[in-house]
């Protein structure tokens, strides 16, 4: 329950009278935290974080709370969501990329944008999209066939290209050409790299005029992305022949009060959100899936058996999804171990009480799928890749709000079903024909910035299935 305790922001600040030794300790702790966060957000979590439910970290004059149990996640993201909008940190980290688009907008603008996009995610639309998802997979597989047996692929890049193509075909009714796909992948990689450094600065709340070379790098990446987005929008504006895609919904939008259409900047922001939220996440989940399968031959063999049995050599179609249960379980288990979005950050509007602790207004509250999905008190052998736990009959699946790859509550992902359908069909299409094997001695370390990516990519070789 949100309590009416008045703003305690001031109370929360370190008082001038705080003993010097305590202040030094706080500085040291903060420096250690920032040093770890600078390289990899996963490293901020100490061993005990994987067993705790709700606690507070102090970071230079600020309180950061971590909600890490079903009840506290429900509190922050669902039952008291109105008190926990996306944090100023999320805004600052993403604003250059997605402007005022649906991912970070708030209040009435967010409600309007969410309503506007809803028809693009209706079940009837998803069924239609499935053919475009399969077509895009076939195009990729044709390229792989011509690359030949043993060819080396950069799998993260391949999956990002595929999922960006799927978003383009389904949401904007056009294919993404090779050059555009390359620009999108590189720009988003660069933006994420710039964020690794930006995060630290933003958490400290340093003034925005301080020189930050990473910001320049981030801006350059956005400029490249914009060239692709502008080309997509311009092409569709020039050809408005009847299509029922997201871009058409945006073109047709009229402000209920003024009757005006959507201004170009907001339209660009909406396209950017769908493009980026829609492709980076799904591409990421698929990349980790190929990595995990390459390390787990028994699970891979069971996947092949299911695919061969259900498809009997033909291409997958939408109606196969209900029988591809193990394929889906592999995807779910992959996103448990490597949630594409590893951290959601919110900011308390008013003072609140969670688990008997005061959460002062202005505090940042973090929900980390990375932690929740590996919580030792929730999951049986959390570090083990075991897709069976997601089969319906298996009771070891964690409780509600402990498995949140798509978030939960009013800001949960509207593209969750889209992503599940897409990734399941892609896994079936690829695994029907190929195995992917990690380059020998390549070290894979998950690095969490905006999304959870492998530190040095995923160079993998391509092999036709001979079984
Ligand atoms: C495997 C695929 C995907 C994953 C893991 C994923 C994950 C997420 C998560 C965790 C959030 C909520 C973040 C938060 O609460 O702070 C989110 C929001 C969002 N996602 Fe996805 N997503 C996926 C696919 C998609 C697709 C395919 C689309 C669109 C084509 C999409 C569009 C969005 C949008 C627009 C939001 C913002 C919603 C709002 O704030 O109201 N996502 N996604």
């Amino acid at each position: 329950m949100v309590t009416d305790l008045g703003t305690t922001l001031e109370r929360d600040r370190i008082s001038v009278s705080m003993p010097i030794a305590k202040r030094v300790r706080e500085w040291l702790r903060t420096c250690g935290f920032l040093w770890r966060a600078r390289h990899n957000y996963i490293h901020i979590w100490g061993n005990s974080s994987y067993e705790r439910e709700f606690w507070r970290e102090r970071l230079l004059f600020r309180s950061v709370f971590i909600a890490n149990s079903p009840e506290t996640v429900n509190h922050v993201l669902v039952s008291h969501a109105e008190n926990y909008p996306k944090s100023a940190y999320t805004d600052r980290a993403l604003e250059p990329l997605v402007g005022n688009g649906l991912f970070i907008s708030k209040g009435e603008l967010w409600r309007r944008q969410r309503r506007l996009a809803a028809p693009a995610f209706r079940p009837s639309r998803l069924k239609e999209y499935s053919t475009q998802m399969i077509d895009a997979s076939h195009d990729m597989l044709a390229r792989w066939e011509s690359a030949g047996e043993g060819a080396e692929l950069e799998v993260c890049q391949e999956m990002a290209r595929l999922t960006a193509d799927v978003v383009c075909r389904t949401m904007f009714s056009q294919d993404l050409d090779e050059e555009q796909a390359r620009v999108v992948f590189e720009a988003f990689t660069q933006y994420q790299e710039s964020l690794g450094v930006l995060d630290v600065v933003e958490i400290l709340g340093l003034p925005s005029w301080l020189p930050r070379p990473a910001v320049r790098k981030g801006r350059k990446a956005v400029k490249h992305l914009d060239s692709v987005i502008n080309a997509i929008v311009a092409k569709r504006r020039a050809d408005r022949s009847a299509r029922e895609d997201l871009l058409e919904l945006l073109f047709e939008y009229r402000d209920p009060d003024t009757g005006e259409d959507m201004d170009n900047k907001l339209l660009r922001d909406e396209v950017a959100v769908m493009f980026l939220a829609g492709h980076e996440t799904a591409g990421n989940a698929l990349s980790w899936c190929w990595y995990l399968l390459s390390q787990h031959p028994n699970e891979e063999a069971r996947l092949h058996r299911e695919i061969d049995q259900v498809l009997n050599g033909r291409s997958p179609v939408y109606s196969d999804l209900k029988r591809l249960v193990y394929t889906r379980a592999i995807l779910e288990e992959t996103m448990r171990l490597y949630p594409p979005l590893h951290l959601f950050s919110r900011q308390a509007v008013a003072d609140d009480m969670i688990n008997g602790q005061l959460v002062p207004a202005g505090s940042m509250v973090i929900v980390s799928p990375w932690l929740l999905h590996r919580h030792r008190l929730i999951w049986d052998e959390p570090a083990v890749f075991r897709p069976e736990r997601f089969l319906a009959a298996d009771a070891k699946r964690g409780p509600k709000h402990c498995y949140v790859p798509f978030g939960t509550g009013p800001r949960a992902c509207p593209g969750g079903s889209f992503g599940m359908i897409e990734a399941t069909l892609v896994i079936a299409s690829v695994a029907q024909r190929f195995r992917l094997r990690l380059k020998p001695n390549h070290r894979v370390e998950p690095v969490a910035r905006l999304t959870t990516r492998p530190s040095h990519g995923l160079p993998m070789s391509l092999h036709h299935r001979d079984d």
Side-chain angles (χ1 to χ4, degrees):
M1 194 184 82
V2 179
T3 55
D4 185 19
L5 301 172
T7 289
T8 47
L9 248 187
E10 288 311 308
R11 225 188 303 156
D12 196 41
R13 293 194 185 287
I14 293 181
S15 120
V16 186
S17 59
M18 180 189 265
I20 297 226
K22 203 169 166 194
R23 265 200 257 180
V24 169
R25 268 205 308 278
E26 172 129 350
W27 269 97
L28 287 176
R29 208 178 44 243
T30 304
C31 290
F33 173 91
L34 294 176
W35 180 249
R36 293 192 302 276
R38 187 173 191 276
H39 295 289
N40 189 349
Y41 248 70
I42 291 169
H43 294 161
I44 63 179
W45 306 120
N47 189 32
S48 65
S49 309
Y50 295 85
E51 288 182 353
R52 298 174 81 181
E53 293 196 345
F54 185 75
W55 72 100
R56 180 170 83 155
E57 297 279 353
R58 288 200 67 106
L59 286 177
L60 280 189
F61 321 125
R62 288 176 176 213
S63 286
V64 178
F65 291 85
I66 294 93
N68 200 33
S69 66
E71 298 74 25
T72 57
V73 170
N74 178 52
H75 185 110
V76 174
L77 297 183
V78 187
S79 62
H80 293 67
E82 81 284 1
N83 193 48
Y84 295 96
K86 297 212 170 177
S87 70
Y89 154 66
T90 310
D91 292 355
R92 280 194 296 265
L94 286 176
E95 201 273 339
L97 196 63
V98 298
N100 220 353
L102 173 58
F103 203 90
I104 56 173
S105 60
K106 299 189 181 67
E108 192 43 42
L109 176 61
W110 168 74
R111 263 184 287 280
R112 242 188 292 151
Q113 287 166 317
R114 184 107 190 181
R115 268 198 307 272
L116 177 64
F121 296 103
R122 285 200 187 117
S124 58
R125 301 289 305 139
L126 296 178
K127 191 173 172 188
E128 286 167 35
Y129 296 154
S130 66
T131 54
Q132 287 149 315
M133 293 165 178
I134 293 161
D135 288 349
S137 309
H138 285 169
D139 287 355
M140 179 187 76
L141 291 174
R143 271 194 292 111
W144 287 12
E145 284 290 355
S146 51
E149 177 69 20
E152 191 175 293
L153 303 170
E154 173 34 67
V155 166
C156 295
Q157 199 161 347
E158 289 292 321
M159 292 301 115
R161 175 171 176 182
L162 171 64
T163 52
D165 191 18
V166 167
V167 170
C168 253
R169 289 181 194 223
T170 53
M171 299 276 152
F172 315 134
S173 304
Q174 43 190 291
D175 298 356
L176 199 67
D177 68 40
E178 197 177 333
E179 175 59 11
Q180 287 176 317
R182 190 192 59 75
V183 170
V184 169
F185 180 77
E186 281 174 12
F188 205 63
T189 303
Q190 269 180 15
Y191 192 84
Q192 292 228 45
E193 281 166 8
S194 77
L195 262 185
V197 188
L198 259 182
D199 283 350
V200 178
V201 177
E202 299 300 359
I203 285 174
L204 277 171
L206 297 180
S208 55
W209 47 262
L210 276 179
R212 284 180 277 167
V215 174
R216 269 203 306 278
K217 193 173 173 186
R219 282 210 199 101
K220 216 164 132 192
V222 172
K223 233 169 116 183
H224 288 142
L225 271 176
D226 276 353
S227 66
V228 176
I229 291 172
N230 292 339
I232 290 170
V233 174
K235 196 167 167 193
R236 282 282 277 111
R237 273 204 200 280
D239 173 12
R240 295 279 300 277
S241 43
R243 289 193 188 97
E244 278 185 70
D245 61 6
L246 180 92
L247 214 40
E248 198 55 31
L249 291 171
L250 300 177
F251 285 153
E252 282 175 1
Y253 173 80
R254 294 292 173 273
D255 187 296
D257 302 323
T258 63
E260 284 177 10
D261 53 9
M262 188 176 283
D263 71 56
N264 283 338
K265 168 74 174 74
L266 193 55
L267 195 135
R268 175 259 166 228
D269 294 347
E270 294 298 1
V271 171
V273 164
M274 290 302 166
F275 202 17
L276 300 173
H279 99 274
E280 167 70 15
T281 46
N284 203 273
L286 281 164
S287 302
W288 284 114
C289 174
W290 301 124
Y291 165 68
L292 285 166
L293 286 172
S294 75
Q295 307 301 302
H296 295 88
N298 293 340
E299 284 71 14
E300 187 184 52
R302 184 166 174 187
L303 170 73
H304 289 164
R305 279 199 300 279
E306 176 177 274
I307 292 172
D308 294 349
Q309 209 170 36
V310 173
L311 303 180
N312 201 13
R314 59 169 173 78
S315 281
V317 289
Y318 184 83
S319 58
D320 292 320
L321 287 168
K322 54 182 181 303
R323 292 177 63 212
L324 291 169
V325 286
Y326 192 70
T327 314
R328 184 185 168 100
I330 291 225
L331 173 63
E332 290 181 303
E333 177 70 340
T334 299
M335 291 194 292
R336 182 185 69 80
L337 283 169
Y338 298 105
L341 292 182
H342 61 96
L343 185 143
F344 316 146
S345 112
R346 304 292 199 260
Q347 200 160 10
V349 174
D351 287 3
D352 193 11
M353 294 291 284
I354 304 183
N355 262 20
Q357 273 197 62
L358 173 67
V359 178
S363 310
M364 197 189 275
V365 183
I366 285 175
V367 173
S368 163
W370 177 270
L371 279 186
L372 276 169
H373 293 184
R374 290 169 177 253
H375 202 290
R376 289 197 280 265
L377 305 182
I378 296 170
W379 303 93
D380 184 28
E381 295 191 284
V384 177
F385 176 64
R386 193 187 298 143
E388 288 75 12
R389 61 177 109 227
F390 283 95
L391 294 178
D394 196 312
K396 291 192 189 84
R397 190 183 181 132
K400 206 172 171 202
H401 304 309
C402 278
Y403 180 67
V404 285
F406 297 107
T408 181
R411 300 297 302 237
C413 178
S417 300
F418 182 118
M420 288 302 297
I421 293 170
E422 174 189 19
T424 308
L425 290 172
V426 170
I427 295 171
S429 306
V430 172
Q432 187 178 39
R433 283 153 75 169
F434 293 108
R435 281 175 221 283
L436 291 160
R437 288 292 169 264
L438 190 65
K439 186 177 174 181
N441 304 322
H442 182 79
R443 202 167 62 88
V444 174
E445 189 203 355
V447 173
R449 282 184 175 148
L450 210 53
T451 52
T452 320
R453 284 183 169 194
S455 52
H456 301 97
L458 280 180
M460 298 184 90
S461 55
L462 188 62
H463 303 276
H464 285 90
R465 271 184 60 198
D466 45 16
D467 52 335

